[in-house]
Coordinates of all heavy atoms in Angstrom, one line a residue:
M1 N 3.6 3.5 -0.5 CA 2.3 4.1 -1.1 C 1.7 3.1 -2.1 O 2.5 2.6 -2.9 CB 2.7 5.4 -1.8 CG 1.4 6.2 -2.2 SD 1.9 7.8 -2.9 CE 2.5 8.6 -1.4
P2 N 0.5 2.7 -2.0 CA -0.1 1.7 -2.9 C -0.1 2.2 -4.3 O -0.2 3.4 -4.6 CB -1.5 1.5 -2.3 CG -1.8 2.7 -1.5 CD -0.5 3.2 -1.0
R3 N -0.1 1.3 -5.2 CA -0.2 1.6 -6.6 C -1.5 1.1 -7.1 O -2.0 0.0 -6.7 CB 1.0 1.0 -7.4 CG 2.3 1.5 -7.0 CD 3.4 0.6 -7.6 NE 3.4 0.8 -9.1 CZ 4.3 1.6 -9.7 NH1 5.2 2.2 -9.0 NH2 4.3 1.7 -11.0
Y4 N -2.1 1.9 -8.0 CA -3.4 1.5 -8.5 C -3.3 1.4 -10.0 O -2.7 2.2 -10.7 CB -4.5 2.5 -8.1 CG -4.7 2.6 -6.6 CD1 -4.0 3.6 -5.9 CD2 -5.5 1.7 -6.0 CE1 -4.1 3.6 -4.5 CE2 -5.6 1.8 -4.6 CZ -4.9 2.8 -3.9 OH -5.1 2.8 -2.5
D5 N -4.0 0.4 -10.6 CA -4.1 0.3 -12.0 C -5.3 1.0 -12.6 O -6.4 0.9 -12.0 CB -4.2 -1.2 -12.4 CG -2.9 -2.0 -12.1 OD1 -1.8 -1.4 -12.4 OD2 -3.0 -3.1 -11.6
F6 N -5.1 1.7 -13.6 CA -6.2 2.4 -14.3 C -6.2 2.1 -15.7 O -5.1 1.7 -16.3 CB -6.0 4.0 -14.2 CG -6.3 4.5 -12.8 CD1 -5.4 4.5 -11.8 CD2 -7.6 5.1 -12.6 CE1 -5.7 5.0 -10.5 CE2 -7.9 5.6 -11.3 CZ -7.0 5.6 -10.3
R7 N -7.3 2.1 -16.3 CA -7.4 1.9 -17.7 C -8.2 3.1 -18.4 O -9.2 3.5 -17.8 CB -8.2 0.6 -18.0 CG -8.2 0.3 -19.5 CD -8.7 -1.1 -19.8 NE -10.1 -1.3 -19.4 CZ -11.1 -1.0 -20.1 NH1 -11.0 -0.5 -21.4 NH2 -12.3 -1.2 -19.7
C8 N -7.6 3.5 -19.5 CA -8.2 4.7 -20.2 C -9.2 4.2 -21.1 O -8.9 3.3 -22.0 CB -7.1 5.5 -20.9 SG -7.8 6.8 -21.8
R9 N -10.4 4.7 -21.1 CA -11.5 4.3 -22.0 C -11.4 5.0 -23.3 O -12.0 4.6 -24.3 CB -12.8 4.5 -21.3 CG -13.1 3.5 -20.2 CD -14.5 3.5 -19.7 NE -14.8 4.7 -19.0 CZ -15.9 4.9 -18.3 NH1 -16.7 3.9 -18.1 NH2 -16.1 6.0 -17.6
A10 N -10.6 6.0 -23.4 CA -10.4 6.8 -24.6 C -9.4 6.1 -25.5 O -9.7 6.0 -26.7 CB -10.0 8.2 -24.3
C11 N -8.3 5.7 -25.0 CA -7.3 5.1 -25.9 C -7.0 3.6 -25.5 O -6.3 2.9 -26.2 CB -6.0 5.9 -25.8 SG -5.2 5.9 -24.2
G12 N -7.6 3.1 -24.4 CA -7.5 1.7 -24.1 C -6.2 1.3 -23.4 O -6.0 0.2 -23.1
S13 N -5.4 2.3 -23.1 CA -4.1 1.9 -22.4 C -4.3 1.8 -20.9 O -5.3 2.3 -20.3 CB -3.1 3.0 -22.7 OG -3.4 4.2 -22.1
T14 N -3.4 1.0 -20.3 CA -3.5 0.9 -18.9 C -2.2 1.5 -18.3 O -1.2 1.5 -18.9 CB -3.5 -0.6 -18.5 OG1 -2.4 -1.3 -19.0 CG2 -4.8 -1.3 -19.0
F15 N -2.4 2.0 -17.1 CA -1.2 2.7 -16.5 C -1.4 2.6 -15.0 O -2.5 2.3 -14.5 CB -1.1 4.1 -16.9 CG -2.4 4.9 -16.7 CD1 -2.5 5.8 -15.5 CD2 -3.5 4.8 -17.5 CE1 -3.6 6.5 -15.3 CE2 -4.6 5.6 -17.3 CZ -4.7 6.4 -16.2
K16 N -0.3 2.8 -14.3 CA -0.3 2.7 -12.8 C -0.1 4.1 -12.2 O 0.6 4.9 -12.7 CB 0.8 1.7 -12.3 CG 0.6 0.3 -12.7 CD 1.8 -0.5 -12.2 CE 1.6 -2.0 -12.7 NZ 0.4 -2.6 -12.1
V17 N -0.8 4.3 -11.1 CA -0.7 5.5 -10.4 C -0.4 5.2 -8.9 O -1.1 4.4 -8.3 CB -2.0 6.3 -10.5 CG1 -1.9 7.6 -9.6 CG2 -2.3 6.7 -11.9
S18 N 0.7 5.8 -8.4 CA 1.0 5.7 -7.0 C 0.3 6.9 -6.3 O 0.6 8.1 -6.6 CB 2.5 5.7 -6.8 OG 3.1 4.6 -7.4
R19 N -0.5 6.6 -5.3 CA -1.2 7.6 -4.6 C -1.6 7.1 -3.2 O -1.7 5.9 -3.0 CB -2.4 8.1 -5.3 CG -3.3 6.9 -5.7 CD -4.6 7.3 -6.3 NE -4.5 8.4 -7.3 CZ -5.5 8.8 -8.1 NH1 -6.6 8.2 -8.0 NH2 -5.3 9.7 -9.0
P20 N -1.8 8.0 -2.3 CA -2.3 7.6 -0.9 C -3.6 6.9 -1.1 O -4.4 7.1 -1.9 CB -2.4 8.9 -0.2 CG -1.6 9.9 -0.9 CD -1.7 9.5 -2.3
M21 N -3.8 5.9 -0.1 CA -5.0 5.2 -0.1 C -6.3 6.1 0.0 O -7.3 5.8 -0.5 CB -5.0 4.1 1.0 CG -6.1 3.1 0.8 SD -5.9 1.8 2.1 CE -4.3 1.1 1.6
S22 N -6.1 7.2 0.7 CA -7.2 8.1 0.9 C -7.6 8.8 -0.4 O -8.7 9.3 -0.5 CB -6.8 9.2 1.9 OG -5.7 9.9 1.4
A23 N -6.7 8.7 -1.4 CA -7.1 9.3 -2.7 C -7.3 8.3 -3.8 O -7.2 8.6 -5.0 CB -5.9 10.3 -3.1
S24 N -7.5 7.0 -3.3 CA -7.6 6.0 -4.3 C -8.7 6.1 -5.3 O -8.7 5.6 -6.4 CB -7.7 4.6 -3.6 OG -9.0 4.6 -2.9
D25 N -9.8 6.8 -4.9 CA -10.9 7.0 -5.8 C -10.9 8.3 -6.6 O -11.8 8.6 -7.3 CB -12.2 6.9 -5.0 CG -12.5 5.5 -4.5 OD1 -12.1 4.5 -5.1 OD2 -13.1 5.4 -3.4
A26 N -9.8 9.0 -6.4 CA -9.8 10.3 -7.2 C -9.5 10.0 -8.6 O -8.9 9.0 -9.0 CB -8.6 11.1 -6.6
P27 N -10.0 10.8 -9.5 CA -9.8 10.6 -11.0 C -8.3 10.6 -11.3 O -7.5 11.3 -10.7 CB -10.5 11.8 -11.6 CG -11.4 12.3 -10.6 CD -10.8 12.0 -9.2
A28 N -8.0 9.8 -12.3 CA -6.6 9.8 -12.8 C -6.6 10.2 -14.3 O -7.6 9.9 -15.0 CB -6.0 8.4 -12.6
T29 N -5.6 10.8 -14.7 CA -5.5 11.2 -16.1 C -4.5 10.2 -16.8 O -3.4 10.0 -16.2 CB -5.0 12.6 -16.3 OG1 -5.9 13.5 -15.6 CG2 -4.9 13.0 -17.7
C30 N -4.8 9.7 -17.9 CA -3.9 8.8 -18.6 C -2.7 9.5 -19.2 O -2.7 10.7 -19.3 CB -4.7 8.0 -19.7 SG -4.4 8.5 -21.3
P31 N -1.6 8.7 -19.5 CA -0.4 9.4 -20.0 C -0.7 10.1 -21.3 O 0.1 11.0 -21.6 CB 0.5 8.2 -20.2 CG 0.1 7.2 -19.2 CD -1.4 7.3 -19.2
E32 N -1.7 9.8 -22.0 CA -2.0 10.5 -23.2 C -2.8 11.7 -23.0 O -3.2 12.5 -23.9 CB -2.8 9.6 -24.2 CG -2.0 8.3 -24.5 CD -0.7 8.6 -25.3 OE1 -0.7 9.5 -26.0 OE2 0.3 7.9 -25.1
G33 N -3.2 12.0 -21.7 CA -4.0 13.2 -21.4 C -5.5 13.0 -21.4 O -6.2 14.0 -21.1
H34 N -6.0 11.8 -21.5 CA -7.4 11.6 -21.4 C -7.8 11.5 -19.9 O -7.0 11.0 -19.1 CB -7.8 10.3 -22.1 CG -7.3 10.2 -23.5 ND1 -6.5 9.2 -24.0 CD2 -7.4 11.1 -24.6 CE1 -6.1 9.4 -25.2 NE2 -6.7 10.5 -25.6
D35 N -9.0 11.9 -19.7 CA -9.5 11.8 -18.3 C -10.6 10.8 -18.1 O -11.2 10.7 -17.1 CB -9.8 13.2 -17.7 CG -10.9 13.9 -18.5 OD1 -11.4 13.2 -19.5 OD2 -11.1 15.1 -18.3
D36 N -11.0 10.1 -19.2 CA -12.0 9.1 -19.1 C -11.4 7.8 -18.7 O -11.2 6.9 -19.6 CB -12.7 9.0 -20.5 CG -14.0 8.1 -20.4 OD1 -14.3 7.7 -19.3 OD2 -14.5 7.8 -21.4
T37 N -11.1 7.6 -17.5 CA -10.4 6.5 -17.0 C -11.2 5.8 -15.9 O -12.0 6.4 -15.2 CB -9.0 6.8 -16.4 OG1 -9.2 7.8 -15.3 CG2 -8.1 7.5 -17.5
V38 N -10.9 4.5 -15.8 CA -11.5 3.7 -14.7 C -10.4 3.0 -13.9 O -9.4 2.6 -14.4 CB -12.5 2.6 -15.3 CG1 -13.7 3.3 -15.9 CG2 -11.8 1.8 -16.3
K39 N -10.7 2.9 -12.6 CA -9.7 2.2 -11.8 C -10.0 0.7 -11.8 O -11.1 0.3 -11.7 CB -9.9 2.7 -10.3 CG -8.8 2.1 -9.4 CD -8.6 3.0 -8.2 CE -9.8 2.9 -7.2 NZ -9.9 1.6 -6.5
L40 N -8.9 0.0 -12.0 CA -9.1 -1.5 -12.1 C -8.9 -2.1 -10.7 O -8.0 -1.7 -10.0 CB -8.0 -2.1 -13.0 CG -8.0 -1.5 -14.5 CD1 -6.9 -2.2 -15.3 CD2 -9.4 -1.8 -15.1
L41 N -9.7 -3.1 -10.4 CA -9.5 -3.7 -9.1 C -8.4 -4.7 -9.2 O -8.2 -5.4 -10.2 CB -10.8 -4.5 -8.8 CG -12.0 -3.5 -8.5 CD1 -13.3 -4.3 -8.3 CD2 -11.8 -2.6 -7.4
S42 N -7.7 -4.9 -8.1 CA -6.6 -5.8 -8.1 C -7.2 -7.2 -8.1 O -8.1 -7.6 -7.4 CB -5.8 -5.6 -6.9 OG -4.9 -6.7 -6.7
T43 N -6.7 -8.0 -9.1 CA -7.2 -9.4 -9.2 C -6.7 -10.2 -8.0 O -7.3 -11.2 -7.6 CB -6.7 -10.1 -10.4 OG1 -5.3 -10.0 -10.5 CG2 -7.3 -9.4 -11.7
V44 N -5.7 -9.8 -7.3 CA -5.2 -10.5 -6.1 C -6.2 -10.4 -5.0 O -6.4 -11.4 -4.3 CB -3.8 -10.0 -5.7 CG1 -3.3 -10.7 -4.5 CG2 -2.8 -10.1 -6.9
A45 N -6.8 -9.3 -4.9 CA -7.7 -9.1 -3.8 C -9.1 -9.6 -4.0 O -9.9 -9.7 -3.1 CB -7.8 -7.6 -3.5
M46 N -9.3 -10.0 -5.2 CA -10.7 -10.5 -5.6 C -10.9 -11.9 -5.0 O -10.1 -12.8 -5.3 CB -10.9 -10.5 -7.1 CG -10.9 -9.1 -7.7 SD -12.2 -8.1 -7.1 CE -13.5 -8.8 -8.1
T47 N -12.0 -12.1 -4.4 CA -12.3 -13.5 -3.9 C -13.8 -13.7 -4.2 O -14.5 -12.8 -4.5 CB -12.0 -13.6 -2.4 OG1 -12.8 -12.6 -1.7 CG2 -10.5 -13.4 -2.0
G48 N -14.2 -15.0 -4.0 CA -15.6 -15.3 -4.1 C -16.0 -15.4 -5.6 O -15.5 -16.2 -6.3
T49 N -16.9 -14.5 -6.0 CA -17.6 -14.6 -7.3 C -16.6 -14.4 -8.4 O -16.9 -14.9 -9.5 CB -18.7 -13.6 -7.4 OG1 -18.2 -12.3 -7.2 CG2 -19.8 -13.9 -6.4
A50 N -15.5 -13.7 -8.2 CA -14.5 -13.5 -9.3 C -13.9 -14.8 -9.7 O -13.7 -15.0 -10.9 CB -13.5 -12.5 -8.8
A51 N -13.7 -15.7 -8.8 CA -13.0 -16.9 -9.1 C -14.1 -18.0 -9.1 O -14.5 -18.6 -8.1 CB -12.0 -17.3 -8.1
T52 N -14.7 -18.2 -10.3 CA -15.8 -19.1 -10.4 C -15.3 -20.6 -10.3 O -14.4 -21.0 -11.1 CB -16.5 -19.0 -11.8 OG1 -16.9 -17.6 -11.9 CG2 -17.7 -19.9 -11.9
P53 N -15.8 -21.3 -9.3 CA -15.3 -22.6 -9.1 C -15.8 -23.5 -10.3 O -16.9 -23.3 -10.8 CB -15.8 -23.1 -7.8 CG -17.0 -22.2 -7.6 CD -16.7 -20.9 -8.3
R54 N -15.0 -24.5 -10.6 CA -15.4 -25.4 -11.7 C -16.5 -26.3 -11.1 O -16.4 -26.8 -10.0 CB -14.3 -26.3 -12.1 CG -13.2 -25.5 -12.9 CD -12.1 -26.4 -13.3 NE -12.5 -27.5 -14.1 CZ -11.8 -28.5 -14.5 NH1 -10.5 -28.6 -14.1 NH2 -12.2 -29.5 -15.2
Q55 N -17.5 -26.5 -11.9 CA -18.6 -27.3 -11.4 C -18.3 -28.8 -11.7 O -18.1 -29.1 -12.9 CB -19.9 -26.9 -12.1 CG -20.4 -25.6 -11.6 CD -21.8 -25.2 -12.2 OE1 -22.3 -25.9 -13.1 NE2 -22.4 -24.2 -11.7
T56 N -18.2 -29.5 -10.7 CA -17.9 -30.9 -10.9 C -19.0 -31.8 -10.2 O -19.6 -31.4 -9.2 CB -16.5 -31.3 -10.3 OG1 -16.6 -30.9 -8.9 CG2 -15.4 -30.6 -11.0
G57 N -19.3 -32.9 -10.7 CA -20.3 -33.8 -10.1 C -21.7 -33.4 -10.5 O -22.6 -34.2 -10.2
G58 N -21.9 -32.3 -11.2 CA -23.3 -32.0 -11.6 C -23.7 -32.9 -12.8 O -22.9 -33.6 -13.4
C59 N -25.0 -32.9 -13.1 CA -25.5 -33.7 -14.1 C -24.9 -33.4 -15.4 O -24.3 -34.3 -16.1 CB -27.0 -33.5 -14.2 SG -27.8 -34.5 -15.5
C60 N -25.0 -32.1 -15.9 CA -24.4 -31.8 -17.2 C -22.9 -31.8 -17.2 O -22.3 -31.9 -18.2 CB -24.9 -30.4 -17.6 SG -26.7 -30.4 -17.9
G61 N -22.3 -31.6 -16.0 CA -20.9 -31.7 -15.9 C -20.3 -33.1 -16.1 O -19.2 -33.2 -16.5
G62 N -21.2 -34.0 -15.8 CA -20.7 -35.4 -16.0 C -20.9 -36.0 -17.3 O -20.5 -37.1 -17.6
G63 N -21.6 -35.3 -18.2 CA -21.8 -35.7 -19.5 C -23.1 -36.6 -19.7 O -23.3 -37.1 -20.8
C64 N -23.9 -36.7 -18.7 CA -25.1 -37.6 -18.8 C -26.2 -36.9 -19.6 O -27.1 -37.5 -20.0 CB -25.6 -37.9 -17.4 SG -26.2 -36.5 -16.4
C65 N -26.0 -35.6 -19.9 CA -27.0 -34.9 -20.6 C -26.7 -34.9 -22.1 O -27.5 -34.3 -22.9 CB -27.1 -33.4 -20.1 SG -27.8 -33.3 -18.4
S66 N -25.6 -35.3 -22.5 CA -25.3 -35.3 -23.9 C -26.1 -36.3 -24.7 O -26.5 -37.3 -24.2 CB -23.8 -35.5 -24.1 OG -23.4 -36.8 -23.6
Ligands
ZN101 ZN1 -5.9 7.7 -22.9

C-alpha cells in the first residue's frame, strides 16, 4: 500500500499516511487532530520543471555581464 506524505498547515508537522491509491486524495487528519492538511508530492516522482537545470553557457552565466 503506498504511503503519502502530508503536511499540517495548522501546526506545521509532517506525517505519513498509508492508504490505497484510490483514496490518495482523501483528506487526512494530522496526529495532533487538525484537518487542515495538504498532501505533499513525492520529490522522487517530480521531473521537468521541478528540477531546474543549471544555466550554463548563457551570457549572464558566463560573467560577461558583470
Ligand atoms: Zn496539526
